[in-house]
Amino acid sequence: MKLTNNAKKIYETWFNSSSQLESDSSDFLEDYLNFLGDIGDKINIDEQTRLLVIVASLCVSGGAKSSFKSFVKAALNVGISAGDIKEILYQAVPYAGLGRVEDQIFLADEIFNERCIKLENMPKKSREGRGERGLEIQRKLFPAVDKFIASTPNDQRHIMEFLSQNCFGDFYARGVLSLELRELLTFVYIVTLGFAKPQLLGHIAANFGIGNDRAKLISVVTTLIPFIGYPSALNALAAINEISSSKN
């Protein structure tokens, strides 16, 4: 394969020059790796964040199991911990649903077992008080959340309670990953799913508010192009522009 310097580094560092990647499609792989190399010149996120974002996207895409496994291994190869990878997969469940994420959780476990990686006990907080814990995090991300909850019809109020308790109280409140990274990952999940524009806009605003600026989100979308395709990437950029305009 004729690889650029950036692509060669990715091939050697992320994938350990794995012959498994080549199979009978080395011409495709050459283009794919070179494109990943080109992307590296246009983004301003570090290598570990780049791989965390890719793993997060692949875990909710609903397929691409071989790619998911390759990039979980790549993440481990550059020093990302198995615990951090597990947190990404767990947090994906309330956004993409268990049907999309369950297989990836078990695939990651297989890889950890193959590498004899023994995970320490994952952090787990008591169910008691989880609603208030979650709501406290929501208030940091969405200053108008109390007003929004108060305006919810009574027959839908339980969904808002589940959001606070489950999505934020059970997952965001686990620690391990910073709040800034967790909110960036949520942006990745929603962009990859390719729908839910109101939630996409809300989480772009939340990212801006917590310090993940426009340049960072554009770098993330650029990183995701090979995995989500141009239509979804362009929709995400349009949403970023919409929120950026509203802030001016």
Side-chain angles (χ1 to χ4, degrees), residues 222-242:
T222 305
T223 297
L224 294 179
I225 289 171
F227 309 96
I228 65 175
Y230 287 97
S232 292
L234 291 172
N235 285 342
L237 294 176
I240 291 170
N241 291 338
E242 186 173 336

Side-chain angles (χ1 to χ4, degrees), residues 19-91:
S19 59
Q20 272 188 322
L21 289 173
E22 296 187 34
S23 65
D24 294 324
S25 301
S26 57
D27 56 339
F28 166 77
L29 182 64
E30 179 182 311
D31 290 339
Y32 178 67
L33 288 169
N34 281 328
F35 185 39
L36 291 179
D38 294 342
I39 287 171
D41 284 331
K42 301 296 182 182
I43 58 175
N44 64 353
I45 53 176
D46 61 68
E47 184 177 53
Q48 290 202 351
T49 302
R50 185 181 180 187
L51 278 164
L52 288 172
V53 161
I54 292 170
V55 169
S57 178
L58 288 172
C59 86
V60 302
S61 65
K65 292 181 182 178
S66 60
S67 289
F68 173 77
K69 290 175 69 174
S70 293
F71 279 95
V72 168
K73 292 175 183 177
L76 294 170
N77 290 342
V78 304
I80 295 171
S81 73
D84 284 0
I85 293 170
K86 260 307 186 53
E87 288 296 326
I88 290 171
L89 303 182
Y90 285 4
Q91 186 181 322

Side-chain angles (χ1 to χ4, degrees), residues 152-210:
T152 302
N154 287 335
D155 59 355
Q156 298 174 13
R157 189 68 61 86
H158 63 287
I159 304 296
M160 298 300 104
E161 292 173 357
F162 288 163
L163 265 171
S164 297
Q165 296 166 358
N166 178 240
C167 186
F168 292 94
D170 287 341
F171 293 97
Y172 268 67
R174 286 167 63 86
V176 184
L177 305 180
S178 69
L179 185 57
E180 291 83 0
L181 179 54
R182 286 197 181 275
E183 186 56 22
L184 189 69
L185 293 171
T186 296
F187 169 73
V188 171
Y189 304 140
I190 297 172
V191 168
T192 302
L193 291 171
F195 54 82
K197 184 180 177 183
Q199 287 72 31
L200 177 59
L201 293 171
H203 281 282
I204 290 170
N207 269 283
F208 285 175
I210 204 166

